[in-house]
Each structure stands twice: as structure tokens, then as C-alpha cells.
Amino acid sequence: MTPPILEARGLSKSFAGMVALDNLSFSVNEGEIAGLIGPNGSGKSTVVNLISGVLVPTSGQVVMRGQDVTGAPAHQMARRGVARTFQMIRLFGTLSVEDNIALALQQKEGPGYVSSFFRTPAARRQRAAAGVTAREMLKLFDLEEKASDLAADLSIGQRRMVELARGLASEPTVFILDEPAAGLAPHNVDRLIEMIRRMRDEFGVTILLVEHVMRVVQSVCDRVVVLDYGQKIADGPPAEVVNQPEVIEAYIGLGRGKNA
Amino acid sequence: MRTPLILLLTTAIACALPAVLESGYFINVAIIALIYVILASSLDIMMGWTGKFSFAHAAFFGIGAYTAAMMQRSFGTDLWAHLPAGMAAAALFGVLLGLPSLRLQGHFLAIMSIAFQTVVYLVLAQWTDLTGGHYGLPVEVSPELGNVSTFYFVTLGCTLVACLFVWFLTQSRFGDTLTAIRDDETLARTIGMDTNVIKIVAFAISSALAGGAGVLMAHHIRGVTPNDYTVMTSATIVAMVVLGGRGKFWGPIVGALILTILPEVLSDLAEYKHIMYGALLIFMIMVMPQGVVGALTGRKAK
């Protein structure tokens, strides 16, 4: 059997003694849309930051395709194919929408700063090609007419789509979506669900979806990992997981549980 | 490619200046203005493009100038040897300041740069055996550059090269990367940019150009004294960039020209120069944070 594309092995993280994540193990298989859910403060964002290289785990390992990548800095994780979006949308506000995407997809070809400085034909071709790819991506997300606008000038729904386009353009191995439905209007949530599906079905991208909005999780995820207080309390298909007593207790509480 | 053409045209016009300006005094002012154009443009790589405020630019300016003076004292070298050496020395110190700054953000970086500037000033002023202390060191100009008009042309040439370099740099992928770091450093890392290396390189380039300006200055005023390279000088360069417009090619150039020529025109008020700079800086940040050039060109995607 091929190793899972992404694995967390006994991941723990504490901040000044506060345990945010306690011995968490889970895996994401190739071509899967895996969900990561849990109440506020259950450690979801910490997991994302550990996998994307923003934080270094206190103990445990992050493994990609059987290779230990624990503690690799963010830019190296990006070059290994981990793309991500942010709970609070992050775009380069003073760059055009097209440049935001072109910049992300150029990172894999190496810097090329010198040839770009001297404006060599090869560098110009490369830049033009990046622009073309970026526009194709924007077309897919129905944003082609916004290509020349400043990223800061778009609406939240459009900015979220640019984030998705940016990640998809970099041809990621694993695409981590950190609460992509946060702040979106209902019709934008429908669009988000459609695009998450298409990214997997048409582009074969493996997705780790961290989400609060259960409608999104229920409709796209093949499998869901549930966190509570930094520990895994459930792992399985969404329809089964939501009926498990531990999950219900974590979310709603039973009056005698720890959330009471 | 329109900007480099305008720059070449401007330089061509500036070539006529010595013929028009009879008095050597005005040519001297023009030389100082050009040196400050290099300083402001190079500081803008950090301030405007990378978004890192630095109040240490005069330190790199001084390191370049003192490298020239000390090299000449020890080896009897001339301007053409001093330029690369002064730039290299300033770049080296730029990396030294850049390394700790990787962990600092915003105001803390600015404070760190003030500390660095102060340390450099104190070394220049106090290490008398090496630097000549408060009296500084003399610099002799080789005979073929002794004429003020000739030196003006040399400075003009150096300024043109420096400005073209900054333009090509900021319009290249390196410039895009700097902008990315300015807009959102976390995101820049997340899409695969090694921001630490980029920031160090940007520091080194910016400092190297300031060092080159220092070498020109040392030859122009035929000597170095520590008081030319204080935190006040750094603040003046910052004021030039803010006044002209951060992250705009013409911004620091215009700012440097205004703030070197204006005090000469209003020479009666020269004593109050720094008070006026301060007031101007506050006014600009409140009313026109994008600077003169920024306000004229507006905000648009390229």
C-alpha cells in the first residue's frame, strides 16, 4: 500500500505549558477531501500551522509520502507542495489579482532573480507564461475580469476565491483550507462547496479542510477527524461521526461534560 | 521602459548644468543633491519596497566615506578603488544589521536601526587612532577629478547608474518579492519565498549603494568627519523618502532634490532646517502619506 500523502504522528504542541495539541495522529490519503473539525480552541489552527511549517511541534512528526518533514520552515513546505489558505484571508493587497497568483506559481521554478533583472528573453517568457496560467485560473473561478484590480479592492467572497486560485495554481500536493467558509454569504458558501469538489475531481488535489460550517463539511468531506481539547475524539465518514456521543458532547455539551 | 528613458533624458539635461551655472557654489549644491538622490533611492528599497523603516542609512553612508578615507591613508588609492571597496564594506555592515533584524518587526526594527546608527557614530567619533576622532580624516582627490565640473559629471554618472539599477531591481521579480514581503510576510513565506534571505540581500544592496554615496561624499568635501553621519542625517534621508513618496521610483529622487535645494534657497533659515524637516514630516504623514509623487500619480495596479 502506498503511504498516505500526509500523516501526523503523535503531534503535540504546547505554548508556555498550555497544551494546545496532545498526541494527535491522523492521515490524509491521496485524492481525499479530509475534514478537520472541532469546537473553538480545540487545536485546529495549531494543526494547520504545524503542517504548513509556521510552527514547530513540541513533539511528534509530520510525514509527507513517508518522508519526515517535521520542523521544515514554511517556504520549504510550500516548495514540497503544501499550499494553504488563511482563516483571515491573506493576499498581497497592493499587487493585482493576477500578480498575486503569478507570484505564487513562479516559486517552484526557483528564484530567477538575476535573469529577471536583466530581462532576458527566457525570463520574459516565463513571466508571460505565469500571467497566462494565472488568468486561466481566474477564469475557472469566474474572476477573469478582476485580473488587473488590486487584490485589496475585491469583496470577501472574491478574495476567498483568489486565495483558492492562488493555492490551486501552485499545483499543490496537499491543499489546506483553513475555515474557508468564514464570513461568506450563503450563496458564496454554495460556490465554495462546488469549487472544493472541482479542485479534487478535476485537478486531483488532496484537500485538508478545516471548517466550522457543518454544511460544507457534510457535503464535501470523505472523512472527518474531530478534535476536542487538542485530542482526537472521532475519525470517520461525516454522517457517522456527527452522531457519535463524544462529538455531540464536545459541541453541545451534556451539562455534566467538560464543556458545561 | 518609459521611466529609464525619462531618466536618461533628465540626465542629459543635467549635463548642461555646469555650463549654465557660472558659480561653483551651485555646482556644489547640485553634487550634494545627487549624492542624496542615491541615498534616498537606496533607502527606499528598504522603506518603500520592503516596508522596513531604517534610521541607519547615514551609518552606511559614513562607512563608505570612512572606507575611502582610510584606504587612501593606508594605500594611497583613488576614487575608482574606493567605490567598490566602500560599497562592499557598507554591504557587509548591512548584513550585520540585517541578521538580528530578521526577528524584529515594525517599530522594534526602527529602534534597532537607531541603536546601530548610534554605535557606528560613536565608533567614528571615539576610535581616534582608526578614524581621526572628531577631526576626521582628509581625502585627497586625484588631479584629473580636481575640477568641480568634472566631479559633477562623475557624480551624475554614478547617480544615473544607481537609479537605473534601482529601477531594474524593483521592476524585476526581486521587486515583486520585496512588495510581497511588505504586504504580508507570513503569506510570502507560505507561498514559498525564503523571506530571510531576501531581506538580507535587500539590506546588503541598499547599504552598498549608500556606501557608494559615502565614497563620493568623502571625495567631494575632501575629507570625513563623524558629524556628517549622525542620526540627524539618517532622519533627513527618511524625510526625503517620505516627502517624495515611498515605493515610487521618482518619489525619493524628487524628495532628495527638494530637501537639498530648498535649504540652500532659504539659507537664512538654515538654522531651523531640522525643525522644518520635522514639521514637514508630520504634515506629510498626516496629509499625504503617499508622498508628493504618490499623490500625483495616484494608486493603481501596474
PDB file of all heavy atoms in Angstrom, chain A residues 113-130:
ATOM      1  N   TYR A 113      16.099  35.501 -10.098  1.00  0.00           N
ATOM      2  CA  TYR A 113      16.140  36.947  -9.897  1.00  0.00           C
ATOM      3  C   TYR A 113      17.088  37.639 -10.872  1.00  0.00           C
ATOM      4  O   TYR A 113      16.812  38.727 -11.349  1.00  0.00           O
ATOM      5  CB  TYR A 113      16.564  37.270  -8.463  1.00  0.00           C
ATOM      6  CG  TYR A 113      15.514  36.918  -7.454  1.00  0.00           C
ATOM      7  CD1 TYR A 113      15.802  36.113  -6.361  1.00  0.00           C
ATOM      8  CD2 TYR A 113      14.218  37.393  -7.600  1.00  0.00           C
ATOM      9  CE1 TYR A 113      14.825  35.788  -5.435  1.00  0.00           C
ATOM     10  CE2 TYR A 113      13.239  37.073  -6.677  1.00  0.00           C
ATOM     11  CZ  TYR A 113      13.544  36.270  -5.603  1.00  0.00           C
ATOM     12  OH  TYR A 113      12.578  35.955  -4.693  1.00  0.00           O
ATOM     13  N   VAL A 114      18.215  37.002 -11.146  1.00  0.00           N
ATOM     14  CA  VAL A 114      19.228  37.640 -11.987  1.00  0.00           C
ATOM     15  C   VAL A 114      18.725  37.778 -13.429  1.00  0.00           C
ATOM     16  O   VAL A 114      18.789  38.851 -14.026  1.00  0.00           O
ATOM     17  CB  VAL A 114      20.557  36.864 -11.928  1.00  0.00           C
ATOM     18  CG1 VAL A 114      21.572  37.492 -12.876  1.00  0.00           C
ATOM     19  CG2 VAL A 114      21.093  36.848 -10.502  1.00  0.00           C
ATOM     20  N   SER A 115      18.177  36.688 -13.974  1.00  0.00           N
ATOM     21  CA  SER A 115      17.704  36.767 -15.354  1.00  0.00           C
ATOM     22  C   SER A 115      16.532  37.730 -15.463  1.00  0.00           C
ATOM     23  O   SER A 115      16.369  38.422 -16.466  1.00  0.00           O
ATOM     24  CB  SER A 115      17.314  35.379 -15.868  1.00  0.00           C
ATOM     25  OG  SER A 115      16.350  34.812 -15.033  1.00  0.00           O
ATOM     26  N   SER A 116      15.739  37.815 -14.392  1.00  0.00           N
ATOM     27  CA  SER A 116      14.617  38.740 -14.392  1.00  0.00           C
ATOM     28  C   SER A 116      15.116  40.189 -14.346  1.00  0.00           C
ATOM     29  O   SER A 116      14.556  41.078 -14.986  1.00  0.00           O
ATOM     30  CB  SER A 116      13.717  38.439 -13.197  1.00  0.00           C
ATOM     31  OG  SER A 116      12.906  39.527 -12.890  1.00  0.00           O
ATOM     32  N   PHE A 117      16.204  40.418 -13.601  1.00  0.00           N
ATOM     33  CA  PHE A 117      16.793  41.769 -13.534  1.00  0.00           C
ATOM     34  C   PHE A 117      17.268  42.216 -14.908  1.00  0.00           C
ATOM     35  O   PHE A 117      17.045  43.340 -15.330  1.00  0.00           O
ATOM     36  CB  PHE A 117      17.972  41.765 -12.551  1.00  0.00           C
ATOM     37  CG  PHE A 117      18.666  43.099 -12.435  1.00  0.00           C
ATOM     38  CD1 PHE A 117      18.203  44.059 -11.555  1.00  0.00           C
ATOM     39  CD2 PHE A 117      19.775  43.394 -13.209  1.00  0.00           C
ATOM     40  CE1 PHE A 117      18.834  45.282 -11.438  1.00  0.00           C
ATOM     41  CE2 PHE A 117      20.408  44.626 -13.107  1.00  0.00           C
ATOM     42  CZ  PHE A 117      19.934  45.573 -12.221  1.00  0.00           C
ATOM     43  N   PHE A 118      17.920  41.303 -15.640  1.00  0.00           N
ATOM     44  CA  PHE A 118      18.450  41.653 -16.955  1.00  0.00           C
ATOM     45  C   PHE A 118      17.418  41.498 -18.063  1.00  0.00           C
ATOM     46  O   PHE A 118      17.715  41.689 -19.231  1.00  0.00           O
ATOM     47  CB  PHE A 118      19.707  40.835 -17.255  1.00  0.00           C
ATOM     48  CG  PHE A 118      20.876  41.255 -16.421  1.00  0.00           C
ATOM     49  CD1 PHE A 118      21.314  40.462 -15.379  1.00  0.00           C
ATOM     50  CD2 PHE A 118      21.505  42.469 -16.668  1.00  0.00           C
ATOM     51  CE1 PHE A 118      22.386  40.874 -14.587  1.00  0.00           C
ATOM     52  CE2 PHE A 118      22.573  42.878 -15.882  1.00  0.00           C
ATOM     53  CZ  PHE A 118      23.011  42.076 -14.835  1.00  0.00           C
ATOM     54  N   ARG A 119      16.201  41.106 -17.689  1.00  0.00           N
ATOM     55  CA  ARG A 119      15.100  40.975 -18.647  1.00  0.00           C
ATOM     56  C   ARG A 119      15.479  40.084 -19.827  1.00  0.00           C
ATOM     57  O   ARG A 119      15.254  40.434 -20.986  1.00  0.00           O
ATOM     58  CB  ARG A 119      14.666  42.352 -19.150  1.00  0.00           C
ATOM     59  CG  ARG A 119      14.322  43.247 -17.997  1.00  0.00           C
ATOM     60  CD  ARG A 119      13.866  44.601 -18.423  1.00  0.00           C
ATOM     61  NE  ARG A 119      13.123  45.161 -17.306  1.00  0.00           N
ATOM     62  CZ  ARG A 119      11.938  45.719 -17.405  1.00  0.00           C
ATOM     63  NH1 ARG A 119      11.344  45.816 -18.554  1.00  0.00           N
ATOM     64  NH2 ARG A 119      11.337  46.188 -16.342  1.00  0.00           N
ATOM     65  N   THR A 120      16.075  38.962 -19.531  1.00  0.00           N
ATOM     66  CA  THR A 120      16.437  38.029 -20.597  1.00  0.00           C
ATOM     67  C   THR A 120      15.159  37.504 -21.257  1.00  0.00           C
ATOM     68  O   THR A 120      14.106  37.459 -20.609  1.00  0.00           O
ATOM     69  CB  THR A 120      17.233  36.838 -20.051  1.00  0.00           C
ATOM     70  OG1 THR A 120      16.396  36.145 -19.114  1.00  0.00           O
ATOM     71  CG2 THR A 120      18.497  37.282 -19.339  1.00  0.00           C
ATOM     72  N   PRO A 121      15.252  37.099 -22.515  1.00  0.00           N
ATOM     73  CA  PRO A 121      14.066  36.570 -23.192  1.00  0.00           C
ATOM     74  C   PRO A 121      13.429  35.425 -22.408  1.00  0.00           C
ATOM     75  O   PRO A 121      12.204  35.346 -22.291  1.00  0.00           O
ATOM     76  CB  PRO A 121      14.608  36.075 -24.532  1.00  0.00           C
ATOM     77  CG  PRO A 121      15.840  36.883 -24.765  1.00  0.00           C
ATOM     78  CD  PRO A 121      16.417  37.179 -23.414  1.00  0.00           C
ATOM     79  N   ALA A 122      14.269  34.544 -21.855  1.00  0.00           N
ATOM     80  CA  ALA A 122      13.729  33.409 -21.101  1.00  0.00           C
ATOM     81  C   ALA A 122      12.909  33.888 -19.907  1.00  0.00           C
ATOM     82  O   ALA A 122      11.813  33.385 -19.651  1.00  0.00           O
ATOM     83  CB  ALA A 122      14.863  32.501 -20.626  1.00  0.00           C
ATOM     84  N   ALA A 123      13.436  34.901 -19.211  1.00  0.00           N
ATOM     85  CA  ALA A 123      12.724  35.418 -18.040  1.00  0.00           C
ATOM     86  C   ALA A 123      11.410  36.065 -18.447  1.00  0.00           C
ATOM     87  O   ALA A 123      10.395  35.922 -17.771  1.00  0.00           O
ATOM     88  CB  ALA A 123      13.603  36.426 -17.295  1.00  0.00           C
ATOM     89  N   ARG A 124      11.429  36.773 -19.578  1.00  0.00           N
ATOM     90  CA  ARG A 124      10.193  37.414 -20.052  1.00  0.00           C
ATOM     91  C   ARG A 124       9.145  36.381 -20.436  1.00  0.00           C
ATOM     92  O   ARG A 124       7.972  36.532 -20.136  1.00  0.00           O
ATOM     93  CB  ARG A 124      10.479  38.270 -21.285  1.00  0.00           C
ATOM     94  CG  ARG A 124      11.199  39.555 -20.971  1.00  0.00           C
ATOM     95  CD  ARG A 124      11.579  40.189 -22.278  1.00  0.00           C
ATOM     96  NE  ARG A 124      12.261  41.444 -22.079  1.00  0.00           N
ATOM     97  CZ  ARG A 124      11.992  42.542 -22.769  1.00  0.00           C
ATOM     98  NH1 ARG A 124      11.064  42.527 -23.691  1.00  0.00           N
ATOM     99  NH2 ARG A 124      12.660  43.643 -22.552  1.00  0.00           N
ATOM    100  N   ARG A 125       9.613  35.317 -21.107  1.00  0.00           N
ATOM    101  CA  ARG A 125       8.685  34.256 -21.495  1.00  0.00           C
ATOM    102  C   ARG A 125       8.065  33.614 -20.265  1.00  0.00           C
ATOM    103  O   ARG A 125       6.856  33.401 -20.206  1.00  0.00           O
ATOM    104  CB  ARG A 125       9.428  33.184 -22.319  1.00  0.00           C
ATOM    105  CG  ARG A 125       9.411  33.413 -23.818  1.00  0.00           C
ATOM    106  CD  ARG A 125       9.748  32.133 -24.560  1.00  0.00           C
ATOM    107  NE  ARG A 125      11.007  31.545 -24.135  1.00  0.00           N
ATOM    108  CZ  ARG A 125      12.207  31.911 -24.592  1.00  0.00           C
ATOM    109  NH1 ARG A 125      12.288  32.867 -25.492  1.00  0.00           N
ATOM    110  NH2 ARG A 125      13.305  31.328 -24.160  1.00  0.00           N
ATOM    111  N   GLN A 126       8.938  33.364 -19.275  1.00  0.00           N
ATOM    112  CA  GLN A 126       8.479  32.728 -18.047  1.00  0.00           C
ATOM    113  C   GLN A 126       7.418  33.585 -17.363  1.00  0.00           C
ATOM    114  O   GLN A 126       6.383  33.082 -16.919  1.00  0.00           O
ATOM    115  CB  GLN A 126       9.699  32.579 -17.133  1.00  0.00           C
ATOM    116  CG  GLN A 126       9.643  31.382 -16.235  1.00  0.00           C
ATOM    117  CD  GLN A 126      10.858  31.337 -15.336  1.00  0.00           C
ATOM    118  OE1 GLN A 126      11.270  32.349 -14.767  1.00  0.00           O
ATOM    119  NE2 GLN A 126      11.444  30.170 -15.209  1.00  0.00           N
ATOM    120  N   ARG A 127       7.694  34.888 -17.320  1.00  0.00           N
ATOM    121  CA  ARG A 127       6.760  35.796 -16.668  1.00  0.00           C
ATOM    122  C   ARG A 127       5.430  35.838 -17.427  1.00  0.00           C
ATOM    123  O   ARG A 127       4.364  35.825 -16.826  1.00  0.00           O
ATOM    124  CB  ARG A 127       7.380  37.199 -16.609  1.00  0.00           C
ATOM    125  CG  ARG A 127       6.490  38.251 -15.969  1.00  0.00           C
ATOM    126  CD  ARG A 127       6.306  37.949 -14.495  1.00  0.00           C
ATOM    127  NE  ARG A 127       5.315  38.819 -13.865  1.00  0.00           N
ATOM    128  CZ  ARG A 127       4.003  38.660 -13.957  1.00  0.00           C
ATOM    129  NH1 ARG A 127       3.511  37.661 -14.675  1.00  0.00           N
ATOM    130  NH2 ARG A 127       3.171  39.463 -13.332  1.00  0.00           N
ATOM    131  N   ALA A 128       5.535  35.880 -18.757  1.00  0.00           N
ATOM    132  CA  ALA A 128       4.313  35.928 -19.564  1.00  0.00           C
ATOM    133  C   ALA A 128       3.508  34.647 -19.372  1.00  0.00           C
ATOM    134  O   ALA A 128       2.285  34.683 -19.230  1.00  0.00           O
ATOM    135  CB  ALA A 128       4.667  36.134 -21.031  1.00  0.00           C
ATOM    136  N   ALA A 129       4.222  33.506 -19.327  1.00  0.00           N
ATOM    137  CA  ALA A 129       3.544  32.222 -19.148  1.00  0.00           C
ATOM    138  C   ALA A 129       2.828  32.180 -17.799  1.00  0.00           C
ATOM    139  O   ALA A 129       1.698  31.690 -17.697  1.00  0.00           O
ATOM    140  CB  ALA A 129       4.548  31.076 -19.252  1.00  0.00           C
ATOM    141  N   ALA A 130       3.478  32.728 -16.770  1.00  0.00           N
ATOM    142  CA  ALA A 130       2.860  32.756 -15.441  1.00  0.00           C
ATOM    143  C   ALA A 130       1.582  33.584 -15.477  1.00  0.00           C
ATOM    144  O   ALA A 130       0.572  33.212 -14.881  1.00  0.00           O
ATOM    145  CB  ALA A 130       3.834  33.319 -14.407  1.00  0.00           C
TER     146      ALA A 130
END
